[in-house]
Amino acid sequence: MSNINLIIEERPASIGSFMVGRLLPFKDKRMVGPFAFIDHMGPICLSDTENLDVPPHPHIGLSTLTYLFEGSIMHRDSIGNEIEIKPGQVNWMTAGKGIVHSERTPTYLRNSDKMMHGLQIWVALPKELEGMEPEFFHVEEKGLPEWIEGGVHFKLIAGEAFGRKSEVPVYSPLYFIEVKSTSRQTLKIGMELFGESALYILEGAIESEGNTFGPKQILVAKDSKLCEFDMQENSTIYIFGGEPFAESRIIYWNFVASSEETIEKAKAMWLEQSFPPVPGETEFVPLPLQSKNVKPRL
């Protein structure tokens, strides 16, 4: 009997400067554990006249995780951080009661051809931490545990799993794991996981119970035990999940919260431009009033 409960395909979505592949939220599965949003950026080649430019925009009630495979992004935020993220590093920004940030191509790359490829992820905060002070952490690649087992390369990007812990300071039990193999391998890792679990195929393919699944798909497990599956050669997958929250979450634009009141307050604050500004930035992304609140069915 198959342990795959749902298959989610990437859908095109615009983030202003270019198109991305939207994975979560999905109409039949709003969240996996605390993971509320996943975008796959690229791979895309930007010319010397094209750049990533996402002006200042706000967040509440979540942590953002940015992880690049190729390219570079300059992060600036309203608590004074200005840092470039490069492949293999993690930017972990916790919005709490409210933070504003921009994401742009660094100045030294703006007049040259450049690649952009990576993942942008939102992790909802526990209800009791939704109003915490905002924080930002930049974690170098050396802070992410890596190991090889049975010819398979593992990297723990965030959370805890397999007796290891990432330096990314998460706020609820979760895991986000990179798994790579250059040769065909059989994996049995379900017993190490907990809560809700899913598997994202970036490249290559996996085979499970006679079925083959390819890139740009999320396979959501019926439980955390992903069971046995085969990775084809030159495959990269991401296994993610964790303990789900007791309360559902409302997602409106860049805001995530457990109450409608909190969402409405954030909307009013952004309309009034009463969020703290990003130093050195004058632009901002307007509130999309035509959007509707998306209430997860958990």
Side-chain angles (χ1 to χ4, degrees):
M1 183 175 178
S2 175
N3 192 43
I4 297 172
N5 186 50
L6 181 67
I7 301 171
I8 302 174
E9 303 273 356
E10 278 190 22
R11 293 95 60 206
S14 173
I15 61 169
S17 299
F18 57 86
M19 300 297 291
V20 298
R22 180 72 36 87
L23 290 153
L24 283 180
F26 182 64
K27 61 183 179 65
D28 294 324
K29 186 64 177 174
R30 310 308 308 182
M31 296 172 65
V32 175
F35 289 82
F37 176 98
I38 301 178
D39 265 0
H40 176 208
M41 305 180 294
I44 184 172
C45 180
L46 300 175
S47 72
D48 58 354
T49 60
E50 297 176 307
N51 292 291
L52 173 69
D53 279 306
V54 182
H57 56 283
H59 290 283
I60 65 165
L62 55 82
S63 297
T64 64
L65 188 159
T66 303
Y67 186 72
L68 299 180
F69 312 127
E70 294 180 274
S72 177
I73 296 175
M74 181 60 71
H75 164 97
R76 297 182 179 89
D77 64 43
S78 55
I79 57 176
N81 295 291
E82 181 174 343
I83 192 162
E84 180 182 359
I85 180 173
K86 297 180 178 181
Q89 302 171 343
V90 171
N91 272 5
W92 177 261
M93 182 183 75
T94 298
K97 66 181 184 181
I99 197 169
V100 181
H101 74 133
S102 65
E103 298 160 291
R104 301 184 185 273
T105 298
T107 302
Y108 73 94
L109 293 174
R110 296 185 72 84
N111 296 316
S112 60
D113 295 345
K114 75 287 276 178
M115 291 295 297
M116 181 60 65
H117 192 199
L119 295 172
Q120 290 204 307
I121 296 165
W122 297 355
V123 179
L125 286 169
K127 183 179 180 179
E128 65 273 15
L129 295 178
E130 288 181 340
M132 69 180 283
E133 292 295 322
E135 297 179 338
F136 176 84
F137 293 91
H138 176 84
V139 180
E140 297 286 345
E141 192 168 7
K142 64 183 179 181
L144 311 178
E146 296 185 69
W147 68 99
I148 295 175
E149 189 173 314
V152 178
H153 182 270
F154 294 86
K155 180 187 291 186
L156 181 59
I157 296 172
E160 295 186 53
F162 306 105
R164 296 168 171 87
K165 183 177 182 179
S166 166
E167 289 186 6
V168 176
V170 303
Y171 292 99
S172 66
L174 63 86
Y175 45 86
F176 188 71
I177 310 159
E178 180 182 81
V179 185
K180 291 186 173 185
S181 181
T182 57
S183 60
R184 187 180 182 89
Q185 298 287 344
T186 298
L187 275 72
K188 298 179 182 179
I189 60 175
M191 298 305 293
E192 302 287 342
L193 306 179
F194 56 87
E196 294 184 327
S197 186
L199 183 156
Y200 171 58
I201 305 167
L202 177 70
E203 57 187 359
I206 72 161
E207 298 171 17
S208 176
E209 298 165 328
N211 299 305
T212 301
F213 303 96
K216 302 183 179 182
Q217 290 183 318
I218 283 181
L219 310 180
V220 181
K222 291 179 180 176
D223 54 44
S224 65
K225 298 172 180 60
L226 288 169
C227 300
E228 179 179 313
F229 61 91
D230 293 327
M231 287 182 69
Q232 292 186 358
E233 61 182 16
N234 300 320
S235 293
T236 301
I237 63 175
Y238 292 85
I239 295 170
F240 64 96
E243 296 296 345
F245 298 126
E247 324 84 12
S248 64
R249 291 297 184 271
I250 300 166
I251 302 175
Y252 172 91
W253 190 39
N254 301 315
F255 305 143
V256 174
S258 56
S259 76
E260 189 82 39
E261 181 183 3
T262 303
I263 294 287
E264 291 301 319
K265 181 181 176 181
K267 289 163 65 175
M269 286 181 62
W270 190 243
L271 283 171
E272 297 163 0
Q273 285 295 289
S274 57
F275 273 86
V278 177
E281 294 270 16
T282 57
E283 297 180 275
F284 67 92
V285 180
L287 184 76
L289 293 177
Q290 73 279 10
S291 297
K292 296 181 180 179
N293 292 351
V294 180
K295 296 184 179 181
R297 295 190 298 274
L298 300 181

